[in-house]
Amino acid sequence: MSTTKKIQSALISVFSKDGLEPIVRKLHEQNVTLYSTGGTEEFIKNLGIPVVPVEDITSFPEILGGRVKTLHPKIFGGILNRQDNESDVQQMKEFDIPQIDLVIVDLYPFEKTVASGASEQDIIEKIDIGGISLIRAGAKNFKDTVIVASVNEYSLLLDIITEQDGSTTLENRRLFASKAFHVSSHYDGAIFNYFNTDETIYKESIANGQVLRYGENPHQKGFFFGDFDAMFKKVHGKELSYNNLLDVDAAVNLIAEFKTDGPTFAILKHNNACGLASRKTISEAYLAALACDPTSAFGGVLISNTKIDLETAQEINKLFCEVVIAPSYDDEAITVLQEKKNRIILVQNEVELPSRQVRTCLNGLLIQDRNNITDNKEHLKTVTVTEPTAQEIEDLIFASKICKNTKSNTIVFAKNGTLISSGTGQTSRVDALIQAVDKAKAFGFDLNGASMASDAFFPFPDCVELAKKAGITAVIQPGGSIKDELSINYCNENNLAMVFTGTRHFKH
């Protein structure tokens, strides 16, 4: 039997009629018999095109307020029959079941209804039964049936039936079946997640993936699954790479810590801040952030917590950087930043980030809640005789916000609303501290009077000893070591102020 099949009949039953008219007109032009239900039937009639109500096939009306329309053997027999199976062919004749070659169907908007905050009753009514059954039936019998389960496939269908004069190949039908099973599995996943209360079961389906140029390195394939356009408006520049996206993610998470602060600018490289400062103007904040480490800033990702103006854009334009992110820009600023052809310029939208973080591990996944705790003054417990000054408290909180978003083990130095230096991703906290001291010295920063943050507790007093020698006067850490007293005693003996937060901020 030929694998190329002519469409002679079609069942069309859709919730949304957008984009349907050209297909209906083309099918009518090709003398295809159309079957339909309810609102779709009325839509086709209004186009002046003949349509056969499903009730004429089933001899049974819609019941239960429209909950049951197409669930009938004469409908599903027409879709599921195997045209090369003699028994199926005989039963089709015996029960007078019409052949259905094409099914066009979509599903009730369950996810949109949930997102709208609708009542549970309204949400339940948006769980599609007939539609999902039609999709699965058509997809299962792809050898004989064409299934179109989404408006996203309308243009593909129209192209095929136009170019192939109403015929489809087995390859065409298998492709539509694959897309249909994606629609059905995604839909079922959304329904399950609405009902699921068992945190040990994880299901995720993301429909809008994109192919990246490559992964972390050119020999690795790379993909991004998510709604980038919901988070950002890209106004200029080349396509973002895998590494760009990782840095953008780190930048967004970091600047969120300073959302309600004054003008703050951050520069990141390899997911870590190499410059960050808060000032009275965003231009001053940028220049101060750049001064933290102008070497690492080369090729970095830049992000602001407020509008970027012309003055700031002119300064940024002197630096080679991959990405610039801000909630808004002056028109003149955009014009200046666009002078570099490949520079990516993003406008960040207000979008809630996922409450959980997921990463691959061994032959499975690791999932955890997002670290939503940002240390603030209310969290601080002074554990030393010497209390931090008001300015030191500001710097301690400032340093802690950066520390939380820096790879462990990490130590961060801050002074007067400026990142002085940090030690990142070291195998020991002492190494991280030594790295931070050396880096501060390399760029000519005076650590006298600076504040220090650590992402985890000090098991020994060696870190506070080194900090004191470097000029640090105040320390913030979570506390919780069985040997906390050793560090506390050293601070008391050497006039260091130290506060505990009670919250560890490991980031691996």
Side-chain angles (χ1 to χ4, degrees):
M1 183 176 288
S2 172
T3 60
T4 298
K5 294 183 177 294
K6 185 86 169 179
I7 296 172
Q8 300 182 66
S9 59
L11 171 63
I12 308 176
S13 181
V14 296
F15 182 83
S16 171
K17 315 302 184 295
D18 294 344
L20 185 61
E21 181 178 346
I23 293 175
V24 172
R25 292 195 181 280
K26 177 57 69 173
L27 292 172
H28 175 59
E29 178 186 312
Q30 295 173 342
N31 297 314
V32 174
T33 301
L34 303 180
Y35 303 103
S36 193
T37 63
T40 309
E41 177 191 338
E42 191 68 24
F43 174 83
I44 296 172
K45 283 180 179 178
N46 289 337
L47 295 177
I49 294 174
V51 58
V52 179
V54 163
E55 292 94 325
D56 288 1
I57 302 173
T58 64
S59 299
F60 209 95
E62 291 186 14
I63 62 172
L64 308 181
R67 279 189 166 196
V68 179
K69 289 181 282 192
T70 57
L71 295 168
H72 193 280
K74 282 200 171 183
I75 300 300
F76 281 85
I79 297 169
L80 282 164
N81 74 92
R82 294 157 292 187
Q83 294 177 21
D84 60 353
N85 183 293
E86 187 58 36
S87 175
D88 286 8
V89 171
Q90 290 302 318
Q91 287 191 324
M92 290 285 285
K93 294 178 180 177
E94 178 183 355
F95 296 107
D96 192 25
I97 299 173
Q99 179 69 41
I100 298 175
D101 303 312
L102 166 66
V103 178
I104 302 176
V105 63
D106 64 4
L107 301 171
Y108 294 150
F110 179 83
E111 288 178 281
K112 287 184 178 178
T113 305
V114 172
S116 73
S119 68
E120 180 161 274
Q121 180 178 349
D122 288 340
I123 290 170
I124 297 302
E125 288 306 313
K126 290 300 184 290
I127 297 177
D128 207 310
I129 304 301
I132 203 79
S133 301
L134 291 169
I135 288 172
R136 293 181 68 84
K140 177 176 180 176
N141 201 35
F142 70 89
K143 286 187 177 181
D144 294 311
T145 307
V146 183
I147 174 65
V148 176
S150 168
V151 66
N152 295 330
E153 315 311 329
Y154 283 5
S155 61
L156 175 60
L157 173 67
L158 187 59
D159 288 345
I160 288 173
I161 62 176
T162 300
E163 294 170 7
Q164 298 173 188
D165 192 25
S167 294
T168 62
T169 65
L170 181 60
E171 182 182 30
N172 295 151
R173 297 190 295 278
R174 181 184 285 272
L175 175 61
F176 280 120
S178 171
K179 292 175 180 294
F181 280 127
H182 164 64
V183 169
S184 65
S185 63
H186 179 83
Y187 193 76
D188 285 340
I191 295 171
F192 169 77
N193 286 329
Y194 173 74
F195 284 98
N196 182 39
T197 57
D198 186 346
E199 292 186 343
T200 65
I201 301 175
Y202 177 76
K203 293 183 186 294
E204 187 67 54
S205 174
I206 303 176
N208 46 346
Q210 67 182 85
V211 179
L212 303 174
R213 294 197 302 274
Y214 50 80
E216 201 162 7
N217 298 290
H219 63 278
Q220 297 169 267
K221 289 183 179 180
F223 308 86
F224 173 70
F225 292 91
D227 192 351
F228 185 85
D229 292 338
M231 282 206 66
F232 302 100
K233 177 184 177 183
K234 181 169 171 283
V235 297
H236 183 72
K238 62 183 179 181
E239 293 301 312
L240 281 91
S241 68
Y242 182 98
N243 292 330
N244 287 156
L245 288 168
L246 285 175
D247 282 331
V248 168
D249 176 70
V252 166
N253 285 298
L254 174 59
I255 208 67
E257 308 286 347
F258 301 89
K259 183 178 179 180
T260 60
D261 293 11
T264 301
F265 207 104
I267 304 173
L268 292 90
K269 198 72 172 291
H270 297 291
N271 309 155
N272 293 312
C274 59
L276 196 151
S278 295
R279 292 292 188 273
K280 291 182 179 180
T281 69
I282 198 62
S283 177
E284 292 172 343
Y286 167 71
L287 291 173
L290 179 62
C292 295
D293 184 350
T295 302
S296 296
F298 182 86
V301 169
L302 282 57
I303 189 165
S304 168
N305 73 343
T306 190
K307 177 187 283 189
I308 290 181
D309 56 21
L310 176 60
E311 182 181 357
T312 308
Q314 289 171 331
E315 292 295 338
I316 292 172
N317 209 34
K318 299 174 184 177
L319 173 73
F320 168 72
C321 59
E322 291 278 344
V323 186
V324 182
I325 311 167
S328 61
Y329 302 78
D330 285 338
D331 291 342
E332 298 89 344
I334 290 285
T335 300
V336 169
L337 293 173
Q338 287 177 329
E339 290 177 6
K340 297 295 194 298
K341 178 182 177 182
N342 290 326
R343 178 184 288 147
I344 299 164
I345 305 172
L346 302 177
V347 178
Q348 184 179 349
N349 301 321
E350 285 283 345
V351 174
E352 184 177 353
L353 294 173
S355 61
R356 288 186 170 184
Q357 296 173 314
V358 183
R359 67 195 300 180
T360 58
C361 181
L362 302 176
N363 60 348
L365 301 174
L366 279 175
I367 301 175
Q368 68 172 353
D369 293 337
R370 178 174 292 276
N371 183 355
N372 285 325
I373 295 179
T374 297
D375 296 330
N376 58 50
K377 294 177 183 179
E378 287 69 35
H379 296 155
L380 305 186
K381 177 185 176 183
T382 302
V383 295
T384 53
V385 174
T386 302
E387 295 192 4
T389 65
Q391 181 59 56
E392 286 173 337
I393 290 175
E394 294 296 326
D395 285 339
L396 289 170
I397 296 296
F398 181 91
S400 173
K401 291 177 178 180
I402 301 171
C403 199
K404 170 188 168 182
N405 290 275
T406 305
K407 296 290 185 181
S408 299
N409 286 322
T410 184
I411 291 290
V412 170
F413 296 148
K415 187 176 181 181
N416 298 324
T418 305
L419 168 63
I420 300 300
S421 65
S422 61
T424 63
Q426 299 303 301
T427 53
S428 80
R429 205 156 303 281
V430 171
D431 286 344
L433 198 154
I434 292 171
Q435 182 190 56
V437 170
D438 290 344
K439 194 168 185 179
K441 290 179 179 178
F443 287 102
F445 287 108
D446 181 7
L447 288 175
N448 287 302
S451 295
M452 179 176 83
S454 172
D455 59 335
F457 62 61
F458 302 128
F460 304 103
D462 45 7
C463 281
V464 287
E465 290 177 19
L466 290 170
K468 171 65 178 178
K469 292 176 182 177
I472 300 299
T473 56
V475 178
I476 185 171
Q477 58 135 318
S481 169
I482 59 173
K483 297 182 179 180
D484 275 342
E485 287 302 319
L486 296 177
S487 295
I488 294 171
N489 290 340
Y490 180 87
C491 289
N492 284 334
E493 292 166 4
N494 292 275
N495 298 317
L496 269 172
M498 185 160 66
V499 298
F500 285 1
T501 64
T503 302
R504 188 180 73 184
H505 290 297
F506 271 162
K507 185 173 185 287
H508 294 108

